[in-house]
Structure formats: structure tokens, C-alpha cells
Amino acid sequence: METIYWKLNKEIKEKEAASVIQEAASEIKKGNIIAFPTETVYGLGADATSTEAVSNIFQAKGRPSDNPLIVHISNKKQLRDLVASVSDKAEQIMDRFWPGPLTVIFPLKKDAKLSNKVTAGLDTVAIRMPDHPIALKLIEEANCPIAAPSANRSGKPSPTEAKHVKEDLDGRINGLIDGGATGVGIESTVIQMNEDHIYILRPGSITKSQLQDITPSVEFSYEKENSEKSPIHEQIPRSPGIKYKHYAPNGSLTIVKGENKQKVKQTIQSAIDEATERGEKTGILTFIESERDYDADLVLTYGSRSRIDETAHDLYAALRMFDKNKVTTIFAEACSEEGMGLAVMNRLMKASGNQVVQV
Ligand code: TXA
Ligand code: MG
């Protein structure tokens, strides 16, 4: 199929933007699939009420059908057709964080106006209201909830620029709205809650301490992923997506962690030198402060050590850049797990297949 490309500024200027969004929305209404920017990463959207439309998403991405999708809404009223109930705590959370990079898992309404492909047969549904003018306008114009996973081929890093979507999905999707680089750079925080706890199923830019303002008891349930099976473990909500390989670059990626920066540098540089001798094409992911200390075929940074909250912004673009340059051996310096650094390390660990060297 021929993919339609539209370009818009984030500050959507009324007239021109309105016609682009109308065109894109009419594609969605026809059951077609359209990629669009959100504040986290680009999403690949379809009418969430249409099974045929939603199936097209799974097909274009090559996504396993047991991995459910997030439903994007532009207005809290849309919840009524989708969820069985909204607790007071959920209300508080939505008031505080929506629109924004937070996905909430709700109990699914019995006769919800939703394709059951979206929820992969679960009795819960993941919902978020994105904080991006193009995304919000598109949902409004399409006049339906929009199911949208990240707009990458399954297993690839999520797209933070329109060109990443094009690389993965050109000719496989009906259209793409280019709205420039996304702000956050990694996917939304996913949470599920009960009366007493909030469980973080996927870490993101809304952090544990922000959620603790609502409820003191916030747990990371994804950490239990590899832990021993126990009765409590069975009860902890999980995200089906967590079991799949994710965010992986083509080359082998190893993370080097350690308090002693000098030791980290020496470890990385000597591993890179050995790889060069073996004839590998080498890459290093580091911080702006250390960029010049390394020698490899491609040295990229994911920001400054002193601005951990911004490191997510360039992470996926860097992983894609290693692929583009056919780098076969990559070493990355770990970042601090403070604040948003936790989510960045979570994605980096997945990208590396948990290959970590501690020095
Ligand atoms: O920032 C984001 O969340 C982006 C943008 C496009 O909104 N979307 C995104 O979607 O990252 P996706 O499909 O790549 O990730 C959705 C995650 C998966 O890990 C999936 O398993 C989980 O949400 N999920 C969806 N429905 C769920 C449910 N009912 N219960 C638990 N986890 C669910
Ligand atoms: Mg994804």
C-alpha cells in the first residue's frame, strides 16, 4: 500500500492543521491505520471499536496477538463506554496526571464498545489520554477511542521521530502524521491499582514518587518478572507485553555499571579494542561529559549525566543509529536510576537482553 505523509508543527496552526487532521481522522474512520505523534513516542492508531481495523495494527507491526493495546482517549467522558468502574483513587490519578504519559489499567465494561482484539481477551483495559495537541485532535475528529501501540515493527526500539516510523512501516500503514520529535522519548508509565496499592507495570516518566503523592503504597510489579513463583507473586498484576523481547538493536549490546567512572571507562574501552581486533564494527553509548574519552567507530550520547530526566529523549534514536551504521558490538554506560533514570535503565536492560557487566 501507499503510505500518505503529512507534516505538521506541534503548535498546530488552525487552518492547515485542521484539514490534515480531518484527512487522517477520516482514514481512521474507514478502518485504516495511521501513525501519529504523542508526547512519549509515535503511536500506530486505529478505531478501537473495529476488530478489522485493530487487526491491521497487529499485522503491520508483526505483533503477537496476545499482547493487548492501549486505548487513547481525548475526553474523560469516553471512559463510560469502556470501563466497568472508576474508583476514587483512579479519579484522583486522572485529575493529576491526564493528559499525560500515564496509562491506567481499568476493569473492562461487560458490553464495552471495544474490539476484544484490543484487550487480547483480558477483563481489563489499558487507557491513556496523551498530552499532545495532534494526538488529542485526531481522537476528537475520529470520534472514537483510538487503539495505538508504539509505531515500530515489533521488537524494534519505539519511534521518537517520524523517520523512525517510516524506516519500520513505510508501505505497511495507511498514513503518518509527522509532528516532529516526541518530547519524553520513552513509553508511558503503566499502572494498575486496587484499594491499597498502585502497581507499576511499566516504568516511565511519571515516577514512583509522583504516584506516592496519591497513595504511599506504590510497588514495581515488573521487577518480580524473574522472581520465584510465590502465592503473592501470582496476585500481582503484570503486563503481558513484558515477556516479549523489546527495544533491541541488531548488534550485541552490553551495559557496564559501576561507581568508579574510571574503571567503567577502562572496561568499556578495552572491550571495544578487543572487538575492533576481531573485526567488529563498534559503538559506545555514553554521556556528553565522557564522549571525548572514548575511541570507537561510533560514539553516541544519551544526554548529560547531570540531567538524567532528559536521557530518555535520545535513547531510542541512538539505538536506531547503531543499526543504521551496522554496528555489531555496542557497550553502554549505565545511567543513574534516580527519577526517570529508572525507566531509561529498564529499557536499556531490555535492549541488552540483560547483559550487564558490573565493575
Ligand atoms: O507511551 C505509550 O504508552 C505509547 C504511546 C503510543 O501511547 N504506547 C505504547 O504501546 O507504548 P505499546 O503497545 O507499545 O505498549 C503497551 C503496553 C504493553 O506492555 C501491554 O502489554 C500493556 O501496555 N497493556 C495493554 N493492555 C494491558 C492490560 N489490560 N493489562 C496489562 N497490561 C496491558
Ligand atoms: Mg511498543
Side-chain angles (χ1 to χ4, degrees):
M1 82 180 64
E2 179 104 26
T3 302
I4 310 168
Y5 291 97
W6 299 280
K7 201 167 164 53
L8 281 182
N9 287 326
K10 198 181 166 195
E11 302 78 43
I12 40 180
K13 280 193 217 70
E14 286 313 321
K15 230 176 170 180
E16 162 213 14
S19 77
V20 165
I21 287 173
Q22 260 167 26
E23 271 177 58
S26 77
E27 292 290 323
I28 299 259
K29 286 184 201 164
K30 276 192 265 176
N32 287 339
I33 52 176
I34 300 293
F36 61 96
T38 78
E39 81 281 31
T40 56
V41 300
Y42 274 77
L44 178 59
D47 177 353
T49 67
S50 157
T51 292
E52 208 185 316
V54 173
S55 305
N56 291 336
I57 293 182
F58 283 93
Q59 206 179 359
K61 280 186 60 104
R63 181 178 176 111
S65 61
D66 64 347
N67 192 3
L69 307 179
I70 296 172
V71 177
H72 295 66
I73 60 173
S74 59
N75 188 314
K76 260 171 68 182
K77 281 189 228 128
Q78 288 172 290
L79 282 177
R80 277 197 302 237
D81 292 336
L82 303 171
V83 310
S85 61
V86 178
S87 65
D88 289 346
K89 199 188 291 171
E91 284 287 357
Q92 264 178 291
I93 285 184
M94 290 186 288
D95 287 345
R96 171 82 185 266
F97 298 107
W98 279 6
L102 182 74
T103 296
V104 182
I105 312 288
F106 288 95
L108 179 66
K109 191 174 171 179
K110 245 195 163 150
D111 52 353
K113 284 189 201 149
L114 197 67
S115 161
N116 59 16
K117 284 237 164 194
V118 172
T119 52
L122 297 175
D123 56 8
T124 52
V125 56
I127 302 188
R128 108 174 177 92
M129 188 188 291
D131 186 15
H132 194 292
I134 295 176
L136 289 172
K137 258 264 177 307
L138 182 67
I139 301 164
E140 234 174 73
E141 276 292 329
N143 198 24
C144 61
I146 291 186
S150 49
N152 50 283
R153 288 281 286 177
S154 219
K156 287 273 147 201
S158 293
T160 54
E161 295 174 45
K163 70 176 183 205
H164 302 155
V165 180
K166 195 170 176 188
E167 275 162 23
D168 278 16
L169 297 173
D170 185 38
R172 303 181 69 89
I173 60 178
N174 302 95
L176 161 62
I177 306 176
D178 179 349
T182 60
V184 177
I186 55 171
E187 308 83 350
S188 60
T189 305
V190 179
I191 62 165
Q192 186 162 4
M193 64 192 107
N194 59 25
E195 276 145 47
D196 310 314
H197 305 280
I198 296 176
Y199 296 98
I200 298 181
L201 276 53
R202 179 175 73 181
S205 64
I206 302 294
T207 60
K208 178 176 177 177
S209 71
Q210 282 175 289
L211 293 164
Q212 277 173 327
D213 289 347
I214 308 276
T215 300
S217 171
V218 180
E219 286 178 37
F220 290 111
S221 69
Y222 69 90
E223 276 178 354
K224 315 272 191 316
E225 192 175 327
N226 300 316
S227 66
E228 300 273 308
K229 280 215 156 140
S230 71
I232 176 95
H233 183 228
E234 294 293 336
Q235 292 160 17
I236 291 174
R238 325 275 285 305
S239 172
I242 233 96
K243 67 176 181 278
Y244 291 106
K245 193 178 176 217
H246 257 105
Y247 318 118
N250 294 327
S252 115
L253 168 63
T254 307
I255 302 169
V256 181
K257 265 188 179 174
E259 288 298 317
N260 182 333
K261 279 197 213 102
Q262 208 48 41
K263 224 168 157 189
V264 168
K265 271 182 206 165
Q266 280 164 4
T267 306
I268 291 180
Q269 191 59 58
S270 62
I272 288 286
D273 292 345
E274 277 170 32
T276 305
E277 266 178 37
R278 289 197 305 270
E280 306 273 346
K281 184 144 192 207
T282 57
I284 295 174
L285 183 62
T286 180
F287 299 92
I288 292 167
E289 291 85 351
S290 310
E291 198 179 357
R292 298 224 181 94
D293 301 341
Y294 287 114
D295 184 18
D297 292 315
L298 189 61
V299 180
L300 298 177
T301 75
Y302 54 165
S304 161
R305 243 187 222 104
S306 62
R307 295 175 160 213
I308 292 301
D309 284 356
E310 291 168 22
T311 46
H313 189 265
D314 294 331
L315 175 69
Y316 289 149
L319 296 179
R320 282 179 179 266
M321 190 60 86
F322 288 126
D323 280 356
K324 231 182 168 161
N325 285 277
K326 304 204 163 44
V327 173
T328 53
T329 299
I330 310 160
F331 279 82
E333 268 190 54
C335 75
S336 130
E337 298 193 7
E338 293 291 300
M340 198 167 158
L342 186 79
V344 172
M345 277 306 289
N346 167 267
R347 305 307 196 273
L348 202 55
M349 289 291 283
K350 282 178 173 255
S352 73
N354 297 320
Q355 286 195 84
V356 183
V357 175
Q358 182 82 43
V359 296

